[in-house]
Amino acid sequence: MLKRYILINYLSLYLLVFLATSVIIYTYLLGELLFLFKHKNLWIFIEYSLSFLVSSFFYAGSFTGGLALVLLIRKLSQKRLDLLVKSFGISYYQMLSYVIVFFALVSFLNLFLSYSFYPAVQRKLYQIEREFKKAKELEGGIVRNLWLVENKEGTTYYNFELIDTSSGLVSGFSMIRVEEQTFREVVSAQKGYWEGNTLLLPSARVIDLEYGQERLTDYRINLLELSQIKPLAVKPEHMDMKSLIFLSSIGKELGINQRRYILELAKRLFTSVLPVNTILFVAGVFAYKRVLAYSVYALVFYTALHWGLINTIKSLLENTSYNPYLLLALYLPALLLPLKGLYYLSKG
């Protein structure tokens, strides 16, 4: 009965905080549509605002939930209900167990929706902003300035100025083959196209540096399937989990920057479990300190810690050559603090 009462009170507070946040977001978006969008339309506003709200739930839902928890703790403290419950030997964990389970389910839902739903929403936001706010054309399946490296009987470098992944057409191609630290062959072509795992280059300019010969000829390169190139036309935050895992695992073999895909995969996983981690830490701090203000500080601190560590890892992944999986270990404090909070909750 007590757990149900606390859960109902929490959900009502959470709904109020969510509605208040939504009003603020919609007011901001309405101003953005009126003053920043180059094309104004009611349906654009509805689609844009709904997409923005869903995206906000993923990235900021943990803070909203934590704020509602602080209000619940304040309400229970004012009624002295927390002290009354403690006098019966009931721990804070038992008292808030339904709330914790609720946010464990929210985290699981986030993880499930992170597979493809949230990325699709992010992509929709990007498309609306580019097309209606910045008035720029979309490049749905275009990959620009792509470098690939193949290590087989030496090292071969491939550069593509532009690839249209919808048709398989290539514009601006060059290849350099190196053996024993010596340049052996250079190939360039103005255009080409994919057939299966073969890149066809009509009228390619081939320079044999070993013998000093040059010729124009139709050139074929067995490289990889066009389907393996297609994910590169999409920003990492717009990809589904399957593509992220694929590019994270074989990116090194293709010679692409796999670190950006590892980062997005980690960011998505860590942010998915952020709601339950935030609740455990904030509630744990209150159970330990018994001061409401500390819960507010804990909420702000943990939110800042999460995004601070994410941005630190991102900076190190982009600017250093350290092992990316070792860099992800920097997030460990953000995973250990909720466990400490759980300990204080169960201890009471």
Side-chain angles (χ1 to χ4, degrees):
M1 182 68 74
L2 174 65
K3 295 176 185 178
R4 206 174 303 126
Y5 168 79
I6 290 175
L7 178 62
I8 291 172
N9 273 269
Y10 176 77
L11 292 177
S12 63
L13 290 169
Y14 181 75
L15 182 61
L16 286 174
V17 173
F18 179 77
L19 289 175
T21 306
S22 300
V23 169
I24 294 171
I25 289 174
Y26 269 82
T27 302
Y28 164 77
L29 292 177
L30 182 60
E32 191 176 41
L33 179 73
L34 292 174
F35 299 107
L36 297 180
F37 271 59
K38 306 206 181 312
H39 301 288
K40 299 172 179 62
N41 184 292
L42 177 61
W43 292 110
I44 293 173
F45 172 71
I46 293 173
E47 190 174 18
Y48 183 66
S49 58
L50 287 175
S51 299
F52 194 91
L53 196 62
V54 170
S55 182
S56 298
F57 177 78
F58 178 64
Y59 289 108
S62 57
F63 188 85
T64 304
L67 187 58
L69 179 65
V70 171
L71 294 176
L72 176 68
I73 292 172
R74 179 176 178 271
K75 186 175 181 179
L76 296 177
S77 299
Q78 286 177 337
K79 293 182 177 182
R80 305 290 183 182
L81 187 59
D82 58 328
L83 296 178
L84 179 63
V85 170
K86 283 294 295 178
S87 66
F88 286 97
I90 299 175
S91 67
Y92 281 108
Y93 175 77
Q94 292 172 298
M95 187 169 61
L96 297 172
S97 59
Y98 280 14
V99 175
I100 294 170
V101 169
F102 170 73
F103 267 93
L105 293 175
V106 169
S107 293
F108 178 78
L109 179 65
N110 272 345
L111 191 59
F112 175 75
L113 295 178
S114 292
Y115 184 83
S116 61
F117 177 73
Y118 284 141
V121 170
Q122 287 285 96
R123 183 167 177 79
K124 174 58 68 176
L125 275 174
Y126 170 77
Q127 290 173 340
I128 293 174
E129 285 189 355
R130 186 176 179 89
E131 190 172 356
F132 298 105
K133 184 177 178 181
K134 300 178 181 178
K136 294 182 178 179
E137 292 184 8
L138 293 172
E139 296 184 346
I142 301 297
V143 180
R144 294 183 181 275
N145 195 28
L146 173 67
W147 280 94
L148 298 178
V149 181
E150 183 180 43
N151 292 305
K152 185 170 64 175
E153 297 179 1
T155 303
T156 305
Y157 301 89
Y158 305 96
N159 177 251
F160 303 83
E161 289 183 10
L162 184 148
I163 304 173
D164 183 348
T165 60
S166 60
S167 62
L169 294 176
V170 173
S171 175
F173 171 83
S174 58
M175 181 196 87
I176 302 174
R177 184 166 57 85
V178 181
E179 291 181 10
E180 298 177 354
Q181 299 182 344
T182 303
F183 291 99
R184 299 293 185 182
E185 187 179 45
V186 176
V187 178
S188 60
Q190 291 185 350
K191 62 181 180 179
Y193 56 93
W194 246 281
E195 277 190 7
N197 65 342
T198 302
L199 177 62
L200 304 175
L201 302 166
S203 303
R205 183 181 178 217
V206 181
I207 302 175
D208 189 331
L209 296 173
E210 186 176 2
Y211 297 102
Q213 298 176 349
E214 180 179 334
R215 68 186 190 277
L216 289 177
T217 183
D218 293 343
Y219 203 85
R220 302 167 63 93
I221 302 174
N222 292 324
L223 199 54
L224 50 111
E225 295 280 350
L226 182 63
S227 60
Q228 294 176 298
I229 293 291
K230 285 184 177 180
L232 301 176
V234 182
K235 292 176 178 290
E237 57 267 29
H238 301 161
M239 290 182 180
D240 58 31
M241 286 277 202
K242 182 179 179 181
S243 297
L244 283 176
I245 294 170
F246 170 74
L247 291 172
S248 298
S249 59
I250 73 160
K252 193 172 183 179
E253 298 175 18
L254 294 179
I256 62 175
N257 182 11
Q258 66 178 146
R259 301 165 79 87
R260 60 200 295 246
Y261 304 106
I262 294 173
L263 172 66
E264 176 60 26
L265 189 60
K267 185 175 77 171
R268 208 173 289 181
L269 292 173
F270 292 151
T271 306
S272 293
V273 298
L274 185 59
V276 69
N277 285 346
T278 301
I279 293 297
L280 287 173
F281 181 67
V282 172
V285 168
F286 179 77
Y288 178 65
K289 294 290 186 180
R290 310 288 174 84
V291 178
L292 182 63
Y294 281 102
S295 299
V296 179
Y297 302 151
L299 174 61
V300 175
F301 167 77
Y302 193 75
T303 303
L305 177 68
H306 168 79
W307 292 111
L309 290 175
I310 291 292
N311 288 324
T312 299
I313 293 170
K314 178 183 178 181
S315 178
L316 290 173
L317 280 171
E318 291 176 347
N319 300 303
T320 69
S321 58
Y322 295 123
N323 187 308
Y325 298 105
L326 288 178
L327 291 177
L328 293 181
L330 293 174
Y331 192 80
L332 195 59
L335 297 176
L336 294 177
L337 285 175
L339 295 178
K340 192 171 184 179
L342 182 61
Y343 167 75
Y344 287 129
L345 282 172
S346 58
K347 185 179 179 182

